[in-house]
Amino acid sequence: MNTLLSIETRNAVLREMAVLLENERATIIRINKSDLDAYKGDDISMFDRLKVDDSKVDEMIASVTHLANQQDPVGIERFSFQHDNGMKVYNKTASFGTVLIIYESRPDVTVEAAGIAFKSGNKILLKGGKESIKSNLKIVELWHIALEKHSASKNWVEYLQFSRTETQGFLENPTQKVDLIVPRGGERLIAFVKKHASCPVIVSGRGNNFVFVEKDADKKIALDIIINAKTAKISACNALDKVLIDKNLPNKEDFLNNLISKLKDLKVEILGDNTLSKFQGVKAIDTEEIWYQEFLDYKIVIGEVESNEDAIAMINKYSGGHSSSIISKNETEAKTFMENVDNAAVYHNASTRFTDGGQLGLGGELAISTDKLHQRGPIGLQHLVTNKWYVFGNGQIR
């Protein structure tokens, strides 16, 4: 068992990681190039997440630096109570113990997610995908250098080089204590982990995010948000997949022709319901199932709805529970939408691309949870803790 590292040591290790990442920047990018060259798949979002360039290294450095400057999330008093018998009762945040992060493709998770879990006082087990193995092992090597420099055991960050079969065996019957598992990846990975895990899992669910253009929408805002949310980063779970148009939107045809033209210019494949498929350049939907799908691709579905209530009902039926936005100048309609859409994040006149720990003020995130327990949406440093009770007495019995 690892004794909780002092906050001074945890912060020193994180700051050391920032220095090492800067010093080893060129090496990390070179090693990542060999992972990219070895990737033979045709999943463009996987490739995008796999790539490490200067800006990705900058983000990794910013992440650990920010974490080092954050308050210790462990030991924060949440509740206190003085019992009639004189006992003093406190509830304080506590680390989970050991957190296993299983992820695909993204070497930055080896820094950012591991950093959040480490700062929260947890031992980290990392199981990355084979496509990013060289990049991940190099970054774990840096973790070990940083830990040893500050007299901490290397086993605070451990990389599991397991096959899929070995991973399944470990999930079902762990050879060491695991308190929490966080899968970061597609639906198949998440389903695999949920099926086989023998401890709690934070589900970082699918996106399938919606924008509803309400009849009182500012069309310029609607256009800008749809284009941004769809095309800025197609590999992100907060990217846009579905657009709902209020049938009573004034000058609706002009707006749709403009939107379709801009999406076509950006090489986005457009599918539409019976109303939208009449527009040139829009393919008809061939199955209702497409409304459930997260694309992670240059692909979008546009449909028409009768009202705000219909938009809410569609989103609650089909979305992944992640993010949805209403574009409207009507505050009452926006409030109704935001209160009734059952998503982790709801927006009024803003892009779904902001569902991200850094963008929502958390400094970073371990994952974006679409579960409702124990934390919904971005899981930041302050959420990667459990709690325990401290009770001080002087001989009380019951």
Side-chain angles (χ1 to χ4, degrees):
M1 176 182 168
N2 287 7
T3 304
L4 180 68
L5 294 174
S6 72
I7 188 59
E8 292 77 18
T9 299
R10 279 179 272 151
N11 287 342
V13 170
L14 289 164
R15 291 193 178 100
E16 191 68 34
M17 273 299 284
V19 172
L20 291 168
L21 287 163
E22 182 59 67
N23 292 346
E24 296 289 317
R25 175 190 291 268
T27 305
I28 294 165
I29 292 170
R30 176 175 52 76
I31 289 171
N32 177 255
K33 175 80 164 56
S34 63
D35 279 335
L36 289 170
D37 291 343
Y39 179 66
K40 300 300 182 222
D42 57 3
D43 185 335
I44 55 172
S45 65
M46 174 82 85
F47 187 84
D48 184 50
R49 292 193 297 260
L50 176 58
K51 185 177 182 181
V52 176
D53 53 16
D54 271 312
S55 68
K56 276 263 182 81
V57 178
D58 287 343
E59 287 170 17
M60 293 180 200
I61 293 168
S63 170
V64 287
T65 303
H66 181 83
L67 282 168
N69 293 325
Q70 294 275 84
Q71 179 186 4
D72 186 358
V74 179
I76 294 173
E77 186 180 303
R78 297 171 30 164
F79 172 83
S80 64
F81 169 65
Q82 175 89 33
H83 196 285
D84 291 343
N85 67 13
M87 288 191 313
K88 292 177 180 175
V89 179
Y90 303 92
N91 183 263
K92 297 182 181 182
T93 57
S95 61
F96 276 96
T98 298
V99 177
L100 167 60
I101 305 168
I102 302 181
Y103 54 111
E104 296 169 327
S105 162
R106 288 184 52 179
D108 49 329
V109 167
T110 315
V111 173
E112 295 174 20
I116 289 171
F118 176 75
K119 172 85 177 203
S120 304
N122 300 289
K123 176 182 175 179
I124 318 305
L125 299 177
L126 297 166
K127 166 62 186 81
K130 60 182 183 296
E131 66 284 342
S132 53
I133 183 68
K134 292 178 181 173
S135 305
N136 289 338
L137 288 175
K138 177 60 186 176
I139 294 167
V140 169
E141 180 190 308
L142 301 185
W143 273 113
H144 289 167
I145 293 168
L147 285 161
E148 288 195 310
K149 180 160 183 183
H150 295 281
S151 305
S153 169
K154 286 197 300 188
N155 70 7
W156 276 98
V157 178
E158 187 178 339
Y159 196 83
L160 306 178
Q161 290 195 62
F162 288 168
S163 67
R164 183 180 175 85
T165 306
E166 289 169 327
T167 302
Q168 181 178 327
F170 185 83
L171 289 173
E172 291 173 344
N173 189 20
T175 52
Q176 59 176 294
K177 184 172 167 56
V178 179
D179 298 283
L180 181 70
I181 303 175
V182 184
R184 293 283 303 262
E187 289 185 69
R188 281 186 302 176
L189 172 69
I190 291 162
F192 172 78
V193 172
K194 282 183 79 173
K195 180 180 178 182
H196 298 291
S198 53
C199 74
V201 176
I202 288 180
V203 175
S204 185
R206 66 193 177 97
N208 194 28
N209 305 311
F210 281 68
V211 164
F212 171 45
V213 183
E214 199 263 341
K215 66 179 184 299
D216 293 324
D218 180 313
K219 296 187 188 67
K220 170 75 166 62
I221 286 175
L223 205 61
D224 288 348
I225 284 172
I226 292 167
I227 296 301
N228 170 260
K230 177 67 259 181
T231 65
K233 188 175 184 181
I234 58 129
S235 65
C237 62
N238 54 27
L240 175 64
D241 290 304
K242 310 294 181 328
V243 176
L244 302 175
I245 307 291
D246 194 319
K247 74 173 235 178
N248 297 309
L249 181 74
N251 303 315
K252 184 176 61 184
E253 287 211 8
D254 288 347
F255 171 76
L256 285 167
N257 282 320
N258 195 8
L259 174 61
I260 290 162
S261 171
K262 286 186 181 300
L263 288 167
K264 284 295 203 188
D265 288 346
L266 291 161
K267 306 290 188 287
V268 177
E269 179 187 357
I270 309 166
L271 297 101
D273 65 4
N274 291 337
T275 305
L276 269 293
S277 60
K278 294 169 188 167
F279 285 79
Q280 189 172 357
V282 179
K283 298 178 191 171
I285 294 167
D286 54 9
T287 169
E288 184 208 4
E289 292 304 305
I290 203 157
W291 284 103
Y292 289 105
Q293 293 173 18
E294 177 188 31
F295 298 136
L296 300 173
D297 202 348
Y298 288 96
K299 188 174 181 179
I300 198 166
V301 172
I302 307 176
E304 187 174 276
V305 291
E306 298 278 331
S307 64
N308 191 6
E309 286 68 30
D310 286 347
I312 292 164
M314 274 196 78
I315 293 167
N316 288 345
K317 179 177 180 179
Y318 296 113
S319 83
H322 196 295
S323 303
S324 291
S325 182
I326 181 172
I327 317 303
S328 179
K329 290 179 275 192
N330 186 318
E331 299 279 342
T332 305
E333 292 293 347
K335 183 172 184 284
T336 298
F337 179 93
M338 296 176 86
E339 287 176 349
N340 290 284
V341 165
D342 190 15
N343 279 186
V346 286
Y347 292 85
H348 179 202
N349 292 338
S351 171
T352 60
R353 288 278 293 116
F354 290 104
T355 308
D356 172 276
Q359 294 294 323
L360 298 185
L362 300 179
E365 72 192 20
L366 179 75
I368 297 175
S369 172
T370 50
D371 274 353
K372 297 182 183 180
L373 292 173
H374 73 292
Q375 171 67 20
R376 198 178 190 189
I379 305 278
L381 181 64
Q382 56 273 64
H383 308 126
L384 196 63
V385 287
T386 180
N387 66 92
K388 66 181 181 183
W389 295 85
Y390 291 74
V391 183
F392 300 91
N394 53 6
Q396 286 86 345
I397 58 173
R398 181 179 178 185

